[in-house]
Amino acid sequence: MRLDKFLKVSRLIKRRTVANTVSENGRVFVNGNPAKPAKQLKENDILEIEYASGTVKVRVVKIPAGNVSIQEAETLYEKI
C-alpha cells in the first residue's frame, strides 16, 4: 500500500492530500529515510512523522486491503 494512503486509512493524517504534502516536504521517514507519497509500505516498517507539535514514531503492524473502520484503524500500527 502507498505511504499516503496508509497514513489516511490508519488516521495518522486525516486527509490523503495532506499526507501527500507532508511526505513531499520531507517530514515523513520510512526506516530512517525520507519517503515520497508513492513509497510502498510493508509490515514491520518504521514510520516517523514530524508534526508541528512533535514527532510520532510507529511500526506498521498490518497492511489493510482497503478502507477500514475507525476502531480497526488503530490496530494497523503500534506506537514506539
Side-chain angles (χ1 to χ4, degrees):
M1 176 176 275
R2 289 172 52 110
L3 172 62
D4 57 347
K5 187 166 183 179
F6 180 82
L7 292 173
K8 185 227 180 257
V9 169
S10 65
R11 291 168 174 76
L12 288 167
I13 296 179
K14 290 187 179 185
R15 290 186 302 270
R16 191 167 175 180
T17 55
V18 175
N20 271 321
T21 304
V22 169
S23 56
E24 285 175 351
N25 290 336
R27 296 174 56 196
V28 179
F29 300 88
V30 176
N31 299 324
N33 300 316
K36 297 289 181 187
K39 169 81 174 154
Q40 291 295 317
L41 293 181
K42 314 180 292 284
E43 291 181 2
N44 295 320
D45 279 347
I46 305 294
L47 300 179
E48 196 169 336
I49 306 161
E50 295 177 354
Y51 293 105
S53 60
T55 302
V56 173
K57 196 170 187 179
V58 299
R59 182 175 62 85
V60 177
V61 175
K62 182 171 65 170
I63 301 291
N67 290 333
V68 296
S69 67
I70 292 173
Q71 294 81 14
E72 190 180 356
E74 293 181 4
T75 65
L76 300 178
Y77 61 91
E78 173 182 79
K79 287 190 178 182
I80 299 176

